[in-house]
Amino acid sequence: MAKFKLDEIDHQILDMLIDNTRVPFTDIAKKLLISAGTVHVRVKKMEDAGIIKGSSLTLDYKKLGYSFIAYVGVFLQNTSQTKFVLQRINEIPYVTVAHVTTGKFNIFCKIRAKNTEHAKDIIFRLDDIEGVYRTETMISLEESINDKRRLMHDIFNAL
Amino acid sequence: MAKFKLDEIDHQILDMLIDNTRVPFTDIAKKLLISAGTVHVRVKKMEDAGIIKGSSLTLDYKKLGYSFIAYVGVFLQNTSQTKFVLQRINEIPYVTVAHVTTGKFNIFCKIRAKNTEHAKDIIFRLDDIEGVYRTETMISLEESINDKRRLMHDIFNAL
DNA sequence: GGTGAAACTTCTAATAA
DNA sequence: TTATTAGAAGTTTCACC
């Protein structure tokens, strides 16, 4: 795959879309003083290149009754089981993301649950996976998400 | 704020939008055998209720040159400094999310960097924050993101 | 609540520059 | 590559169930 080079216009388009994917292309065009057709072509190109992988809603999980977040470090009996255990972990929908990591833990994952009771069930389920030696849980008392826009701004200035 | 109750139609609408926020309301309407106007009204209601907080692009950070992910546990000299340190941490755009946690660390955050060199700079910057005693880094060797759709499916069936 | 149609806005692809 | 254009498609409102 050829390396895709984004220019300033592309950056600005992404910048406008990153916080609201439903911004009309005509609005973007007006702001950037280009035509809506150009916006369309460029977005399509970025999609084709895989830079834009998709779009998603940001939901308020608290309002949906899922206010519990924790990180769970997983110790394996043997690192050769990593792939297998990772697959089992990914079968649990309440695990939002899992990482194979260096350092203390072999696998490290984030879970989203209704409450402590529910979290307990999820953690027990993780503990029960064949090859898992033990787990260690860190409960999130407060989550502070950084604006994607700021990272993007930095990415663009650094590129 | 009055508790907002989602019904089956709302779930289905969210289910269609969660993976692609630009799905036309007319498509959703057709699939759910309702009118496009109804879809519009319901989405607006969920936005007003704050269930839908926004929408965002999913970008391929690797393709943008940011292939390094790590989790950094932060030890504070004193927990009274939590708020202050959290604010300093959030000023770093490469920190995508930070949590105040129970357990080993006081604060726990995820960083996204270009490479190890860049990550080093970020971690040093974290170390340099006033009130930070020391940090502990776990490098992600492999990230496996779980489909939001699956969590949502479970949330809806549980509600 | 929901509908369906009208009025308005946006998208998209073809063509031209 | 980008702009223009025009028909297709989507959004949004509103009178009426």
Side-chain angles (χ1 to χ4, degrees):
Chain A
M1 185 192 313
K3 174 80 182 160
F4 189 83
K5 185 83 187 112
L6 301 177
D7 67 12
E8 188 53 30
I9 304 277
D10 295 320
H11 295 171
Q12 304 248 31
I13 291 172
L14 289 180
D15 193 50
M16 289 192 74
L17 286 173
I18 195 113
D19 275 341
N20 177 9
T21 58
R22 292 187 86 102
V23 168
F25 288 2
T26 45
D27 282 10
I28 298 174
K30 239 173 278 170
K31 185 153 179 203
L32 304 186
L33 305 174
I34 55 178
S35 74
T38 303
V39 176
H40 176 243
V41 168
R42 280 172 177 263
V43 168
K44 190 149 187 4
K45 238 181 235 171
M46 290 190 277
E47 281 171 353
D48 291 346
I51 304 267
I52 297 175
K53 288 199 285 189
S55 58
S56 185
L57 292 182
T58 308
L59 299 178
D60 188 326
Y61 290 100
K62 275 189 193 168
K63 290 203 169 119
L64 290 170
Y66 280 66
S67 50
F68 191 98
I69 297 172
Y71 285 92
V72 182
V74 177
F75 296 88
L76 300 178
Q77 281 154 12
N78 192 303
T79 51
S80 66
Q81 296 158 311
T82 305
K83 197 173 176 179
F84 170 80
V85 173
L86 202 58
Q87 279 172 352
R88 290 292 87 69
I89 288 177
N90 273 314
E91 286 165 7
I92 305 173
Y94 309 103
V95 173
T96 59
V97 60
H99 294 264
V100 178
T101 52
T102 65
K104 197 176 170 189
F105 309 112
N106 299 112
I107 294 174
F108 191 68
C109 56
K110 182 180 184 175
I111 67 171
R112 200 180 271 286
K114 278 178 268 193
N115 46 44
T116 47
E117 186 67 15
H118 186 211
K120 191 193 73 185
D121 293 343
I122 299 165
I123 293 162
F124 280 7
R125 195 165 156 193
L126 285 168
D127 275 318
D128 278 349
I129 293 172
E130 200 189 319
V132 170
Y133 169 58
R134 69 180 189 87
T135 61
E136 200 172 302
T137 303
M138 283 165 274
I139 297 170
S140 167
L141 304 173
E142 185 186 336
E143 184 182 38
S144 156
I145 294 168
N146 216 334
D147 196 349
K148 269 192 188 179
R149 201 161 194 164
R150 295 189 44 226
L151 174 57
M152 234 181 45
H153 182 77
D154 257 70
I155 288 178
F156 293 159
N157 287 344
L159 278 179
Chain B
M1 183 195 315
K3 174 81 181 161
F4 188 85
K5 185 85 185 108
L6 299 177
D7 68 11
E8 187 55 28
I9 303 279
D10 295 320
H11 295 170
Q12 303 246 32
I13 292 172
L14 288 180
D15 193 51
M16 288 191 75
L17 286 173
I18 194 112
D19 275 341
N20 177 9
T21 58
R22 294 186 84 101
V23 169
F25 290 1
T26 45
D27 282 10
I28 298 175
K30 238 173 278 171
K31 185 153 177 202
L32 305 186
L33 306 173
I34 54 180
S35 74
T38 301
V39 177
H40 177 245
V41 168
R42 279 171 177 263
V43 168
K44 187 143 188 9
K45 238 181 235 170
M46 289 190 278
E47 281 170 353
D48 292 345
I51 304 267
I52 297 176
K53 288 198 285 189
S55 58
S56 185
L57 292 182
T58 309
L59 299 177
D60 189 327
Y61 290 99
K62 276 189 193 167
K63 288 203 171 118
L64 291 170
Y66 280 66
S67 51
F68 191 99
I69 296 172
Y71 285 92
V72 182
V74 177
F75 296 89
L76 299 179
Q77 282 155 10
N78 192 304
T79 51
S80 67
Q81 297 157 311
T82 306
K83 198 172 177 181
F84 170 80
V85 173
L86 203 58
Q87 278 172 352
R88 292 291 87 70
I89 287 177
N90 273 315
E91 286 165 7
I92 305 173
Y94 308 104
V95 173
T96 59
V97 60
H99 293 264
V100 178
T101 52
T102 66
K104 197 176 169 188
F105 309 111
N106 300 112
I107 294 175
F108 191 68
C109 56
K110 182 179 184 176
I111 66 171
R112 199 180 272 287
K114 278 178 266 193
N115 46 46
T116 46
E117 186 67 15
H118 185 212
K120 192 192 71 185
D121 293 342
I122 299 165
I123 293 162
F124 280 8
R125 194 165 157 193
L126 286 168
D127 275 317
D128 277 349
I129 293 172
E130 199 191 318
V132 170
Y133 170 57
R134 69 181 189 86
T135 60
E136 201 173 300
T137 303
M138 283 165 271
I139 297 169
S140 168
L141 303 173
E142 185 185 337
E143 185 182 36
S144 158
I145 294 168
N146 217 334
D147 195 348
K148 269 191 187 179
R149 200 162 194 162
R150 294 189 45 226
L151 174 58
M152 234 181 45
H153 183 78
D154 257 70
I155 288 178
F156 294 158
N157 286 344
L159 278 180

mmCIF file of all heavy atoms in Angstrom, chain A residues 14 43 46-56, chain B residues 19-20 56-64 112 143 145:
data_model
loop_
_atom_site.group_PDB
_atom_site.id
_atom_site.type_symbol
_atom_site.label_atom_id
_atom_site.label_comp_id
_atom_site.label_asym_id
_atom_site.label_seq_id
_atom_site.Cartn_x
_atom_site.Cartn_y
_atom_site.Cartn_z
ATOM 1 N N LEU A 14 -10.674 16.604 8.175
ATOM 2 C CA LEU A 14 -10.724 15.675 9.307
ATOM 3 C C LEU A 14 -11.038 16.428 10.590
ATOM 4 O O LEU A 14 -11.816 15.960 11.424
ATOM 5 C CB LEU A 14 -9.383 14.940 9.459
ATOM 6 C CG LEU A 14 -9.048 13.897 8.406
ATOM 7 C CD1 LEU A 14 -7.690 13.278 8.700
ATOM 8 C CD2 LEU A 14 -10.108 12.810 8.357
ATOM 9 N N VAL A 43 -12.654 13.019 1.044
ATOM 10 C CA VAL A 43 -13.095 12.112 2.109
ATOM 11 C C VAL A 43 -13.072 10.674 1.587
ATOM 12 O O VAL A 43 -12.582 9.765 2.247
ATOM 13 C CB VAL A 43 -14.511 12.482 2.619
ATOM 14 C CG1 VAL A 43 -15.071 11.382 3.506
ATOM 15 C CG2 VAL A 43 -14.466 13.801 3.381
ATOM 16 N N MET A 46 -9.603 9.352 1.512
ATOM 17 C CA MET A 46 -9.098 8.994 2.844
ATOM 18 C C MET A 46 -9.753 7.707 3.346
ATOM 19 O O MET A 46 -9.123 6.930 4.058
ATOM 20 C CB MET A 46 -9.314 10.144 3.820
ATOM 21 C CG MET A 46 -8.409 11.340 3.523
ATOM 22 S SD MET A 46 -8.420 12.606 4.821
ATOM 23 C CE MET A 46 -9.888 13.541 4.404
ATOM 24 N N GLU A 47 -10.983 7.503 2.936
ATOM 25 C CA GLU A 47 -11.642 6.248 3.302
ATOM 26 C C GLU A 47 -10.991 5.084 2.552
ATOM 27 O O GLU A 47 -10.678 4.051 3.143
ATOM 28 C CB GLU A 47 -13.138 6.314 2.971
ATOM 29 C CG GLU A 47 -13.944 7.092 4.003
ATOM 30 C CD GLU A 47 -15.382 7.357 3.570
ATOM 31 O OE1 GLU A 47 -15.736 7.057 2.409
ATOM 32 O OE2 GLU A 47 -16.148 7.871 4.397
ATOM 33 N N ASP A 48 -10.771 5.286 1.266
ATOM 34 C CA ASP A 48 -10.158 4.237 0.460
ATOM 35 C C ASP A 48 -8.752 3.896 0.952
ATOM 36 O O ASP A 48 -8.333 2.741 0.918
ATOM 37 C CB ASP A 48 -10.096 4.667 -1.016
ATOM 38 C CG ASP A 48 -11.491 4.735 -1.639
ATOM 39 O OD1 ASP A 48 -12.432 4.196 -1.022
ATOM 40 O OD2 ASP A 48 -11.642 5.328 -2.717
ATOM 41 N N ALA A 49 -8.045 4.928 1.401
ATOM 42 C CA ALA A 49 -6.679 4.711 1.878
ATOM 43 C C ALA A 49 -6.680 4.073 3.267
ATOM 44 O O ALA A 49 -5.643 3.660 3.773
ATOM 45 C CB ALA A 49 -5.924 6.033 1.897
ATOM 46 N N GLY A 50 -7.850 4.025 3.893
ATOM 47 C CA GLY A 50 -7.934 3.413 5.216
ATOM 48 C C GLY A 50 -7.588 4.349 6.360
ATOM 49 O O GLY A 50 -7.515 3.941 7.505
ATOM 50 N N ILE A 51 -7.332 5.622 6.028
ATOM 51 C CA ILE A 51 -7.039 6.610 7.082
ATOM 52 C C ILE A 51 -8.297 6.780 7.930
ATOM 53 O O ILE A 51 -8.253 6.744 9.148
ATOM 54 C CB ILE A 51 -6.672 7.979 6.464
ATOM 55 C CG1 ILE A 51 -5.499 7.847 5.505
ATOM 56 C CG2 ILE A 51 -6.440 9.019 7.557
ATOM 57 C CD1 ILE A 51 -4.165 8.092 6.102
ATOM 58 N N ILE A 52 -9.417 6.953 7.232
ATOM 59 C CA ILE A 52 -10.703 6.975 7.917
ATOM 60 C C ILE A 52 -11.232 5.541 7.904
ATOM 61 O O ILE A 52 -11.547 5.005 6.850
ATOM 62 C CB ILE A 52 -11.714 7.909 7.198
ATOM 63 C CG1 ILE A 52 -11.215 9.348 7.232
ATOM 64 C CG2 ILE A 52 -13.089 7.795 7.857
ATOM 65 C CD1 ILE A 52 -12.090 10.324 6.431
ATOM 66 N N LYS A 53 -11.285 4.948 9.072
ATOM 67 C CA LYS A 53 -11.721 3.556 9.144
ATOM 68 C C LYS A 53 -13.232 3.449 9.287
ATOM 69 O O LYS A 53 -13.826 2.426 8.975
ATOM 70 C CB LYS A 53 -11.048 2.845 10.322
ATOM 71 C CG LYS A 53 -9.566 2.591 10.086
ATOM 72 C CD LYS A 53 -9.039 1.526 11.014
ATOM 73 C CE LYS A 53 -8.860 2.043 12.424
ATOM 74 N NZ LYS A 53 -8.137 1.075 13.291
ATOM 75 N N GLY A 54 -13.826 4.517 9.790
ATOM 76 C CA GLY A 54 -15.272 4.484 9.974
ATOM 77 C C GLY A 54 -15.708 5.630 10.846
ATOM 78 O O GLY A 54 -14.944 6.570 11.075
ATOM 79 N N SER A 55 -16.932 5.557 11.310
ATOM 80 C CA SER A 55 -17.433 6.594 12.191
ATOM 81 C C SER A 55 -18.266 5.930 13.270
ATOM 82 O O SER A 55 -18.780 4.833 13.073
ATOM 83 C CB SER A 55 -18.278 7.579 11.398
ATOM 84 O OG SER A 55 -19.344 6.910 10.767
ATOM 85 N N SER A 56 -18.374 6.601 14.368
ATOM 86 C CA SER A 56 -19.108 5.981 15.463
ATOM 87 C C SER A 56 -19.781 7.021 16.342
ATOM 88 O O SER A 56 -19.347 8.163 16.405
ATOM 89 C CB SER A 56 -18.135 5.154 16.290
ATOM 90 O OG SER A 56 -18.845 4.455 17.279
ATOM 91 N N ASP B 19 -22.124 1.986 14.046
ATOM 92 C CA ASP B 19 -21.016 1.579 13.182
ATOM 93 C C ASP B 19 -20.821 2.481 11.984
ATOM 94 O O ASP B 19 -19.845 2.372 11.276
ATOM 95 C CB ASP B 19 -21.244 0.156 12.667
ATOM 96 C CG ASP B 19 -20.759 -0.850 13.664
ATOM 97 O OD1 ASP B 19 -19.954 -0.485 14.527
ATOM 98 O OD2 ASP B 19 -21.188 -2.009 13.571
ATOM 99 N N ASN B 20 -21.799 3.309 11.743
ATOM 100 C CA ASN B 20 -21.708 4.217 10.613
ATOM 101 C C ASN B 20 -22.694 5.354 10.826
ATOM 102 O O ASN B 20 -23.879 5.213 10.545
ATOM 103 C CB ASN B 20 -22.003 3.475 9.306
ATOM 104 C CG ASN B 20 -21.999 4.407 8.123
ATOM 105 O OD1 ASN B 20 -21.624 5.580 8.233
ATOM 106 N ND2 ASN B 20 -22.420 3.904 6.986
ATOM 107 N N SER B 56 -18.000 10.589 16.033
ATOM 108 C CA SER B 56 -16.581 10.787 15.784
ATOM 109 C C SER B 56 -16.070 9.855 14.701
ATOM 110 O O SER B 56 -16.639 8.787 14.470
ATOM 111 C CB SER B 56 -15.807 10.556 17.074
ATOM 112 O OG SER B 56 -14.463 10.853 16.871
ATOM 113 N N LEU B 57 -15.015 10.277 14.060
ATOM 114 C CA LEU B 57 -14.384 9.405 13.069
ATOM 115 C C LEU B 57 -13.478 8.413 13.775
ATOM 116 O O LEU B 57 -12.876 8.732 14.793
ATOM 117 C CB LEU B 57 -13.512 10.237 12.116
ATOM 118 C CG LEU B 57 -14.195 11.191 11.159
ATOM 119 C CD1 LEU B 57 -13.129 11.863 10.305
ATOM 120 C CD2 LEU B 57 -15.197 10.454 10.292
ATOM 121 N N THR B 58 -13.387 7.240 13.214
ATOM 122 C CA THR B 58 -12.398 6.275 13.672
ATOM 123 C C THR B 58 -11.234 6.348 12.698
ATOM 124 O O THR B 58 -11.388 6.018 11.525
ATOM 125 C CB THR B 58 -12.983 4.849 13.666
ATOM 126 O OG1 THR B 58 -14.223 4.878 14.363
ATOM 127 C CG2 THR B 58 -12.044 3.872 14.322
ATOM 128 N N LEU B 59 -10.122 6.841 13.176
ATOM 129 C CA LEU B 59 -8.964 7.008 12.294
ATOM 130 C C LEU B 59 -7.961 5.888 12.505
ATOM 131 O O LEU B 59 -7.904 5.286 13.572
ATOM 132 C CB LEU B 59 -8.285 8.349 12.580
ATOM 133 C CG LEU B 59 -9.142 9.597 12.364
ATOM 134 C CD1 LEU B 59 -8.363 10.845 12.746
ATOM 135 C CD2 LEU B 59 -9.604 9.685 10.918
ATOM 136 N N ASP B 60 -7.191 5.634 11.493
ATOM 137 C CA ASP B 60 -6.123 4.655 11.609
ATOM 138 C C ASP B 60 -4.857 5.390 12.043
ATOM 139 O O ASP B 60 -4.134 5.943 11.221
ATOM 140 C CB ASP B 60 -5.905 3.966 10.260
ATOM 141 C CG ASP B 60 -4.951 2.791 10.394
ATOM 142 O OD1 ASP B 60 -4.030 2.868 11.233
ATOM 143 O OD2 ASP B 60 -5.122 1.804 9.673
ATOM 144 N N TYR B 61 -4.615 5.379 13.333
ATOM 145 C CA TYR B 61 -3.478 6.140 13.864
ATOM 146 C C TYR B 61 -2.147 5.590 13.391
ATOM 147 O O TYR B 61 -1.185 6.329 13.257
ATOM 148 C CB TYR B 61 -3.549 6.196 15.392
ATOM 149 C CG TYR B 61 -4.680 7.064 15.874
ATOM 150 C CD1 TYR B 61 -5.893 6.523 16.274
ATOM 151 C CD2 TYR B 61 -4.554 8.450 15.889
ATOM 152 C CE1 TYR B 61 -6.947 7.326 16.690
ATOM 153 C CE2 TYR B 61 -5.596 9.266 16.296
ATOM 154 C CZ TYR B 61 -6.788 8.699 16.697
ATOM 155 O OH TYR B 61 -7.828 9.495 17.089
ATOM 156 N N LYS B 62 -2.104 4.305 13.136
ATOM 157 C CA LYS B 62 -0.865 3.720 12.609
ATOM 158 C C LYS B 62 -0.507 4.375 11.286
ATOM 159 O O LYS B 62 0.633 4.734 11.037
ATOM 160 C CB LYS B 62 -1.036 2.205 12.392
ATOM 161 C CG LYS B 62 -0.810 1.397 13.648
ATOM 162 C CD LYS B 62 -0.780 -0.091 13.306
ATOM 163 C CE LYS B 62 -0.883 -0.907 14.601
ATOM 164 N NZ LYS B 62 -1.160 -2.320 14.334
ATOM 165 N N LYS B 63 -1.531 4.539 10.451
ATOM 166 C CA LYS B 63 -1.285 5.152 9.137
ATOM 167 C C LYS B 63 -0.904 6.614 9.274
ATOM 168 O O LYS B 63 -0.324 7.202 8.358
ATOM 169 C CB LYS B 63 -2.527 5.013 8.255
ATOM 170 C CG LYS B 63 -2.725 3.574 7.809
ATOM 171 C CD LYS B 63 -3.556 3.446 6.548
ATOM 172 C CE LYS B 63 -3.522 2.012 6.029
ATOM 173 N NZ LYS B 63 -4.826 1.378 5.996
ATOM 174 N N LEU B 64 -1.265 7.221 10.396
ATOM 175 C CA LEU B 64 -0.900 8.616 10.625
ATOM 176 C C LEU B 64 0.455 8.706 11.338
ATOM 177 O O LEU B 64 0.895 9.779 11.732
ATOM 178 C CB LEU B 64 -1.980 9.315 11.457
ATOM 179 C CG LEU B 64 -3.318 9.536 10.738
ATOM 180 C CD1 LEU B 64 -4.391 9.998 11.711
ATOM 181 C CD2 LEU B 64 -3.160 10.567 9.619
ATOM 182 N N ARG B 112 -0.620 7.702 23.363
ATOM 183 C CA ARG B 112 -0.474 7.317 21.968
ATOM 184 C C ARG B 112 0.672 8.145 21.396
ATOM 185 O O ARG B 112 0.616 9.369 21.397
ATOM 186 C CB ARG B 112 -1.762 7.633 21.229
ATOM 187 C CG ARG B 112 -1.926 6.897 19.945
ATOM 188 C CD ARG B 112 -3.229 7.267 19.291
ATOM 189 N NE ARG B 112 -4.366 6.467 19.692
ATOM 190 C CZ ARG B 112 -4.563 5.203 19.306
ATOM 191 N NH1 ARG B 112 -3.694 4.592 18.536
ATOM 192 N NH2 ARG B 112 -5.632 4.556 19.699
ATOM 193 N N GLU B 143 -2.993 -4.440 20.243
ATOM 194 C CA GLU B 143 -4.250 -3.897 20.734
ATOM 195 C C GLU B 143 -5.407 -4.615 20.050
ATOM 196 O O GLU B 143 -5.392 -4.818 18.851
ATOM 197 C CB GLU B 143 -4.342 -2.389 20.430
ATOM 198 C CG GLU B 143 -5.589 -1.747 21.020
ATOM 199 C CD GLU B 143 -5.708 -0.256 20.690
ATOM 200 O OE1 GLU B 143 -5.324 0.130 19.570
ATOM 201 O OE2 GLU B 143 -6.159 0.505 21.562
ATOM 202 N N ILE B 145 -9.414 -4.240 19.876
ATOM 203 C CA ILE B 145 -10.585 -3.451 20.254
ATOM 204 C C ILE B 145 -11.855 -4.253 20.037
ATOM 205 O O ILE B 145 -12.048 -4.857 18.987
ATOM 206 C CB ILE B 145 -10.629 -2.142 19.432
ATOM 207 C CG1 ILE B 145 -9.438 -1.258 19.817
ATOM 208 C CG2 ILE B 145 -11.943 -1.402 19.670
ATOM 209 C CD1 ILE B 145 -9.199 -0.098 18.892
#
